[in-house]
Amino acid sequence: MRISSRLREVLRKAKKVCVLTGAGISAESGVPTFRGGGGTAVWKGMPFDQISSAKMVRENLDEVWAWFDYRRDVLKDCKPNLAHKILANWQDKFEDFTLITQNIDNLHKEAGSRKVLELHGNIHRSYCIKCNKRFFMTKDTIPHQPEFCDECGSKVRPDVVLFGEFLPFDVYEKAEQKSRQAELFFIIGTSAVVYPAAGLAELAKLNGAFLVEINPEETPMTEICDESFRAKSSEALSAINQVI
Ligand code: NAD
Ligand code: ZN
């Protein structure tokens, strides 16, 4: 895979580097994506944006848990892949490196990334719908535990941002600040249709960052990218990693 002299130059000079990842980076670990490859995920006849919604939490939390327990079960044996590992190394290669993810699968942390801005939460966490107390699960806690909060007895829900909900403010604010400052910004394995996450790449570009996309398919972001790799994330990142 050819790395242009332009990108080599930016890689050599850039101190502030941001990476935004989506479901595609975990595809090679065996985690299914929701979009891409011509398909869209459906659970018990419901499209994923219906079952993963704030409305469903209000109307049928048990069904939401069934879907998330199913996803946690799928994830149980998934391991970080080469792309996750290369990004974990990048935290020590660049002076100011920020990893932002839309993924909830915890694989960046498992690969060794110390600080990850998890825009959409984490599938192994939950919180009480009344007092917000937070709970942590291991990969093997299937079905989820606890069902009820030990402080107030209310139901516990996944600590995942669902359709119709706001992103965690402090995490998003940090991601926005780092995106604005970035000299080099990678957008990897995301269909770039979920806002405001996708807007971070636009923000970076508007503020002068060199924008690089890695995705086997074109996305709405391709147009504004300075460079696009039509490749799997592990392949493109390996090639780029060799010239750093
Ligand atoms: P998406 O499912 O909408 O899009 C996945 C993208 O990855 C597609 O554009 C596809 O072409 C690309 N892709 C597929 N294989 C790839 C590979 N090997 N290398 C690089 N790219 C590849 O995912 P999204 O944009 O992240 O948005 C979906 C939302 O669903 C996110 O908010 C996320 O929270 C959630 N989600 C998370 C996971 C996860 O945690 N692993 C999985 C599915 C969905
Ligand atoms: Zn509680």
Side-chain angles (χ1 to χ4, degrees):
M1 203 171 295
R2 202 185 143 270
I3 309 296
S4 71
S5 50
R6 244 177 14 141
L7 180 54
R8 284 169 195 258
E9 168 101 2
V10 183
L11 282 165
R12 201 165 45 241
K13 287 191 181 155
K15 293 191 170 71
K16 295 175 181 173
V17 178
C18 267
V19 176
L20 171 67
T21 65
I25 198 166
S26 297
E28 290 166 80
S29 295
V31 184
T33 58
F34 283 174
R35 309 181 190 82
T40 296
V42 170
W43 162 255
K44 293 187 185 172
M46 271 179 279
F48 69 89
D49 48 358
Q50 195 178 324
I51 181 73
S52 289
S53 70
K55 187 166 176 275
M56 242 358 230
V57 167
R58 288 192 301 271
E59 291 173 1
N60 196 345
L61 182 54
D62 289 344
E63 203 60 73
V64 174
W65 266 121
W67 157 240
F68 277 100
D69 279 341
Y70 162 75
R71 291 181 65 190
R72 296 180 66 243
D73 198 38
V74 170
L75 261 174
K76 211 172 48 190
D77 301 319
C78 295
K79 305 250 177 335
N81 64 55
L82 184 59
H84 295 108
K85 289 177 191 160
I86 290 172
L87 292 182
N89 282 329
W90 283 12
Q91 69 196 341
D92 300 318
K93 284 202 175 175
F94 296 99
E95 207 171 288
D96 185 349
F97 179 76
T98 307
L99 180 56
I100 308 166
T101 190
Q102 299 174 86
N103 294 346
I104 57 175
D105 57 28
N106 205 43
L107 291 178
H108 282 304
K109 284 182 181 159
E110 281 176 46
S113 285
R114 293 183 294 271
K115 282 190 212 153
V116 188
L117 296 175
E118 294 177 317
L119 292 174
H120 293 165
N122 188 308
I123 200 161
H124 301 311
R125 288 196 313 255
S126 60
Y127 66 91
C128 169
I129 54 171
K130 192 164 179 207
C131 74
N132 288 329
K133 180 170 176 181
R134 203 175 249 185
F135 301 92
F136 298 87
M137 295 172 272
T138 69
K139 281 192 146 187
D140 302 315
T141 324
I142 298 169
H144 65 283
Q145 285 293 330
E147 264 186 82
F148 298 97
C149 175
D150 58 5
E151 289 286 333
C152 74
S154 299
K155 281 194 172 174
V156 163
R157 58 157 284 175
D159 190 0
V160 169
V161 178
L162 305 176
F163 288 88
E165 294 181 330
F166 292 110
L167 269 53
F169 183 71
D170 49 337
V171 180
Y172 183 72
E173 197 179 42
K174 185 94 187 162
E176 204 183 69
Q177 179 206 344
K178 292 292 185 181
S179 301
R180 197 176 286 124
Q181 294 169 350
E183 296 155 90
L184 174 57
F185 193 103
F186 288 89
I187 176 161
I188 306 177
T190 167
S191 54
V193 293
V194 180
Y195 277 80
L200 293 172
E202 293 172 329
L203 188 67
K205 174 78 182 175
L206 273 173
N207 285 279
F210 190 88
L211 204 56
V212 181
E213 176 178 64
I214 301 174
N215 197 315
E217 296 182 16
E218 275 197 18
T219 75
M221 224 43 85
T222 304
E223 226 176 63
I224 64 162
C225 284
D226 295 286
E227 213 137 305
S228 288
F229 290 84
R230 286 288 147 259
K232 292 182 175 173
S233 41
S234 65
E235 291 165 3
L237 283 173
S238 300
I240 296 167
N241 202 37
Q242 276 174 14
V243 302
I244 294 180

